[in-house]
Each structure stands twice: as C-alpha cells, then as structure tokens.
Amino acid sequence: MPERGLYVVATPIGNLEDISHRALRILEEVACIAAEDTRHSKVLLDHYGIGTSLLSLHEHNENERIQPLVDRVRTGEAIALISDAGTPLISDPGFRLVSAMHDEGLPVFSIPGPSSVTAALSIGGLASDRFRFEGFLPSKPSARLKQLNSLASDTATLVFLESSHRIEASIADMIKVFGTGRPAAICREMTKRFETVLRGSLGSLAESLASDANQRKGEFV
C-alpha cells in the first residue's frame, strides 16, 4: 500500500492507453479517489478493472470536501486526486485541496503524466523554450479582448484552451489584437481518433475553421 498522503495523478486526455503503470497501481491501492466527474472517471477505472471507490470533487463542492479528505490523510490513509483528463489543477479543480494538505503539513505526491498543454507544445511547431499558459479565455467578448490586449507585448509562446462553441470567436479576437500574420497553431482532439494540427498564420487558421465544420468540433489547445 502507498504511504499516507494525497497523490495527484495525471490521467489520459483522450487515448486510455496513455497512463503510466505507477498511476494505475496508485489508483488501485489508495483508499479512495477524488474525481472531478465520477461518471467520467469510472470509464477509465472500469477499463483497467480498478474498483477503488470514487468521491466527487469539483469547483462547486471542493470547499466542503477538503476537511474530510484532510482528516483521512491525517489518520493514515492514502487518497488520489484526478481530473476528467490530464494533470489535475491545470485549469481543473484541486488547488484548494492541495493547498490545505500543505497547510496541515501532510504529504502531497505527484504522479506525472498526460497534459494537453505540453502535448500541444510538443507537436504545434511553435517555439517551446518559453511559453505562457493562459488557460481558458473569458467567455464575454469585452473581457476576452481585455485579457488578450494585456498579452500583446509578451514575446513567449502563448498557450490557450478553448471549446468548440468559442474557437472561432477567440481566433477572431486574437486577430484583432495580434494581427492576421501572427504564427499560430490549433491542436484539436489530441490523442483521439480525429486529432489534427493546423499551423500557419492566425488569418489562415481562421479561414480553415470557417471552411471546414469538422475543424470546429472537439477540444482545442
């Protein structure tokens, strides 16, 4: 059995084979798994025959879950934290739980693995020696433009997450701020059946999205 503590476990971003032997062992041996969406995570656990109990932990209930989980670790248990996909806390819940564990002097362990951010940087064909991760842009156009304008002078590669219903609007606003010629890449549905990488100028990417409805579906980095 693993020693007591909170194990922050990275899980696949699409392809269920993208999980480490260590992650599978930890998920099987811990006392419980705190998951962003238990129904979603159960698919992964069932695929590997793991019967560990699941407990929901998401942005709406994280505060009320913290103390019971802290108490379980304090009394000697090992628990795992996973998100729907990728590495927890990266635009996913868990920060308050991890922070609480540290505040209580309790161990927190990293079980590293998939991340859509590093996956996109590795295949996007843009400079990866310096990058700035911005997560999801605001949904309201005015707030989105304000955030983009604050990044206009940044010389690092900028990394964003986006959903299918806002990808066109976000690219259009990036053109307003950065110009049509700014080099960019859209990495879509990574590790999944319809994974694609579009690379070129922001202007050419906007044209590709407009001309092909399939390129507007899925999850984007």
Side-chain angles (χ1 to χ4, degrees):
M1 295 295 292
E3 63 179 284
R4 74 162 184 162
L6 174 66
Y7 292 78
V8 182
V9 182
T11 56
I13 59 176
N15 191 315
L16 293 183
E17 295 179 2
D18 293 334
I19 190 166
S20 71
H21 293 294
R22 184 184 179 207
L24 290 174
R25 177 179 61 80
I26 291 295
L27 293 177
E28 188 168 29
E29 294 180 354
V30 293
C32 78
I33 300 169
E36 184 178 2
D37 184 332
T38 56
R39 295 167 299 179
H40 181 92
S41 296
K42 193 174 185 301
V43 175
L44 173 67
L45 299 187
D46 287 348
H47 181 78
Y48 286 103
I50 297 173
T52 307
S53 62
L54 286 163
L55 176 74
S56 67
L57 186 142
H58 46 72
E59 61 178 331
H60 302 297
N61 73 352
E62 187 172 359
N63 283 337
E64 66 191 65
R65 294 292 196 206
I66 289 174
Q67 195 57 52
L69 291 172
V70 166
D71 291 341
R72 293 183 68 165
V73 172
R74 184 184 290 114
T75 58
E77 289 189 349
I79 61 176
L81 171 68
I82 63 176
S83 62
D84 285 351
T87 302
L89 276 75
I90 311 302
S91 288
D92 282 324
F95 166 74
R96 285 171 285 183
L97 175 61
V98 170
S99 181
M101 291 289 176
H102 284 297
D103 290 343
E104 295 291 328
L106 297 170
V108 179
F109 303 99
S110 170
I111 312 297
S115 166
S116 63
V117 176
T118 53
L121 282 166
S122 72
I123 65 174
L126 300 178
S128 57
D129 55 332
R130 291 181 60 245
F131 67 91
R132 176 168 176 161
F133 176 60
E134 287 291 311
F136 285 96
L137 288 165
S139 58
K140 293 184 177 180
S142 58
R144 186 165 58 236
L145 282 169
K146 182 178 180 180
Q147 183 170 338
L148 289 170
N149 275 303
S150 73
L151 301 169
S153 61
D154 200 311
T155 57
T157 294
L158 305 176
V159 184
F160 305 93
L161 305 180
E162 197 49 273
S163 61
S164 58
H165 59 281
R166 285 205 301 265
I167 184 64
E168 284 191 288
S170 288
I171 294 296
D173 284 343
M174 289 177 191
I175 289 173
K176 292 177 184 176
V177 175
F178 304 129
T180 57
R182 172 79 170 236
I186 297 177
C187 301
R188 182 180 74 94
E189 293 290 89
M190 286 184 296
T191 79
K192 302 175 185 177
R193 180 182 177 186
F194 297 108
E195 174 181 285
T196 56
V197 178
L198 300 177
R199 181 173 177 268
S201 66
L202 282 174
S204 68
L205 296 184
E207 292 174 0
S208 296
L209 291 174
S211 63
D212 186 351
N214 288 323
Q215 295 302 322
R216 303 193 296 270
K217 298 176 181 178
E219 298 176 325
F220 303 84
V221 183

